[in-house]
């Protein structure tokens, strides 16, 4: 959960930039309104994650090195691609986050164990991510105005985004565990729990 919060806080800042870029290129007022709402909601999410990361940092977690590493990945993608690649990655990233949000909504037994206030926030966040996935995809289709091309880009972008996450999450996990000490880094239970959380039956990427 800590890794996801740190990643999301950085990623959403870039999703805002992608959303703003799409708004500037789309003429349809309905899609522009939908994307502007998406950008405002992402700004709220980014602020919440920033506050959460500040709490994690106050507890001694190495948040800044993790943020720098994640930010470097997104900065590299922005420098390497023109707007089509960025839009493609934005859509893919939001779709993956949408799947994670859907996963939260299905965790009835797990959520029942949480403080009701925390469970309510997670449910809200899950619904919001599904809405974001739909909003940016609508804008994406309006921008391209070519269903076949849009489908092709989407198929190529989702595996790429998942690959980044599958590489990035373990690296971030290593940084966190190294902070806890070499013993924690090589403790099998930590890695078993990590891969179960990410790829297990009810993992955040199992969908």
């Amino acid at each position: 959960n800590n890794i996801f919060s740190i990643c999301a806080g950085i990623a959403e800042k870039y999703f805002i930039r992608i959303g703003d870029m799409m708004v500037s290129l789309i003429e349809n007022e309905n899609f522009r309104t939908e994307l502007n709402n998406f950008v405002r909601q992402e700004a709220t999410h980014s602020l919440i994650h920033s506050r959460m990361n500040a709490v994690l940092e106050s507890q001694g977690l190495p948040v800044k090195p993790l943020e720098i590493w994640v930010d470097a990945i997104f900065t590299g993608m922005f420098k390497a691609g023109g707007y089509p690649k960025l839009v493609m990655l934005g859509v893919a990233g939001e779709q993956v986050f949408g799947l994670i949000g859907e996963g939260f909504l299905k965790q009835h037994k797990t959520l029942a164990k949480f403080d009701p206030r925390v469970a309510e926030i997670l449910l809200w966040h899950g619904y919001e991510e599904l809405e974001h996935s739909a909003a940016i995809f609508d804008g994406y289709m309006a921008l391209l105005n070519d269903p076949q091309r849009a489908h092709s880009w989407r198929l190529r972008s989702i595996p790429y985004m998942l690959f980044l996450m599958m590489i990035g999450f373990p690296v971030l996990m290593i940084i966190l565990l190294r902070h806890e000490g070499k013993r924690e880094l090589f403790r099998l239970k930590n890695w078993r729990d990590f891969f179960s959380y990410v790829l297990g039956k009810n993992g955040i990427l199992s969908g």
Side-chain angles (χ1 to χ4, degrees), residues 1-9 44-61 63 67 118 121-122 125:
N1 278 324
N2 292 339
I3 290 176
F4 180 69
S5 177
I6 293 168
C7 288
T44 301
H45 282 189
S46 181
L47 176 62
I48 292 171
H49 281 294
S50 294
R51 290 177 176 175
M52 177 63 183
N53 290 347
V55 172
L56 295 176
E57 189 171 26
S58 71
Q59 295 176 347
L61 292 179
V63 173
E67 288 182 331
V118 175
I121 291 173
L122 288 174
H125 204 160

Side-chain angles (χ1 to χ4, degrees), residues 26-45:
I26 292 174
E27 296 181 0
N28 185 292
E29 192 60 34
N30 290 331
F31 288 127
R32 287 169 59 87
T33 299
E34 186 177 12
L35 282 169
N36 275 321
N37 289 336
F38 158 78
V39 168
R40 283 194 290 269
Q41 288 179 347
E42 283 289 31
T44 301
H45 282 189

